[in-house]
């Protein structure tokens, strides 16, 4: 390669792999994410659903640094139950969003309540320490019933 140009394939070399399509399929799925619910199979019976989302990320609106958190959702379904893949995609849509810890927790809770109308819901956003500060934001909606 004296000229600095890569050698061209000779003879029966396999064709070059196709170029990556952008945005990537995961990015497209996240961009199109909508919270989806299905009918509660046991409406009228109080029970709890616990979901942990350990890879939440967003961006600090002041520094631009990434923030990482574990989201812990606990809720008692009303007429609808959250579909998990849709929830995952929705949560991943925060990855590049510039938002405070407090606003992220409150906005996510508001969106989840609007989607599924739970009897009771609590969201805990447990952010990784940054600069020697550990933040946990806990928000709730409705009244918890005994199971």
């Amino acid at each position: 390669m004296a000229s600095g140009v890569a050698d061209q394939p000779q003879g029966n070399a396999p064709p070059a792999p196709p170029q990556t399509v952008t945005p990537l399929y995961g990015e497209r799925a996240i961009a199109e994410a909508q919270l989806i619910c299905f009918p509660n199979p046991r409406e009228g019976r109080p029970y709890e659903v616990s979901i942990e989302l350990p890879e939440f990320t967003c961006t600090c609106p002041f520094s631009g640094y990434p923030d990482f958190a574990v989201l812990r959702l606990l809720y008692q379904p009303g007429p609808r139950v959250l579909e998990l893949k849709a929830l995952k995609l929705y949560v991943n849509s925060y990855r590049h969003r510039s938002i405070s810890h407090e606003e992220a927790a409150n906005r996510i809770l508001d969106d989840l309540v609007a989607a599924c109308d739970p009897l009771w819901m609590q969201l805990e956003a447990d952010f990784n320490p940054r600069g020697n500060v550990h933040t946990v934001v806990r928000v709730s909606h409705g009244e918890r019933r005994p199971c």
Side-chain angles (χ1 to χ4, degrees):
M1 244 181 19
S3 67
V5 176
D7 292 333
Q8 297 297 318
Q10 301 294 319
N12 294 333
Q19 294 292 352
T20 302
V21 176
T22 56
L24 302 173
Y25 73 89
E27 292 171 336
R28 290 190 307 269
I30 291 167
E32 298 165 0
Q34 294 182 7
L35 288 169
I36 299 170
C37 300
F38 58 91
N40 182 347
R42 293 289 185 255
E43 191 170 4
R45 172 186 289 167
Y47 65 96
E48 294 184 349
V49 177
S50 176
I51 301 168
E52 186 168 278
L53 301 146
E55 298 176 343
F56 178 79
T57 61
C58 61
T59 304
C60 175
F62 304 104
S63 68
Y65 293 146
D67 285 318
F68 303 89
V70 175
L71 300 184
R72 294 181 188 92
L73 179 66
L74 183 60
Y75 76 106
Q76 293 179 324
R80 294 176 297 283
V81 177
L82 292 166
E83 195 274 326
L84 296 178
K85 182 177 180 184
L87 176 61
K88 172 189 78 170
L89 293 172
Y90 166 80
V91 165
N92 286 344
S93 75
Y94 279 80
R95 182 173 180 80
H96 299 292
R97 194 174 300 188
S98 178
I99 191 168
S100 71
H101 298 169
E102 297 79 6
E103 179 60 18
N106 278 283
R107 188 175 302 174
I108 291 168
L109 180 74
D110 289 345
D111 289 349
L112 297 178
V113 166
C116 71
D117 191 23
L119 301 174
W120 172 80
M121 182 176 278
Q122 176 179 283
L123 177 68
E124 179 181 274
D126 186 349
F127 285 86
N128 290 2
R130 187 158 50 86
N132 199 32
V133 177
H134 179 210
T135 306
V136 178
V137 180
R138 192 174 297 115
V139 292
S140 64
H141 166 83
E143 188 172 326
R144 192 174 190 178
R145 297 182 186 173
C147 294

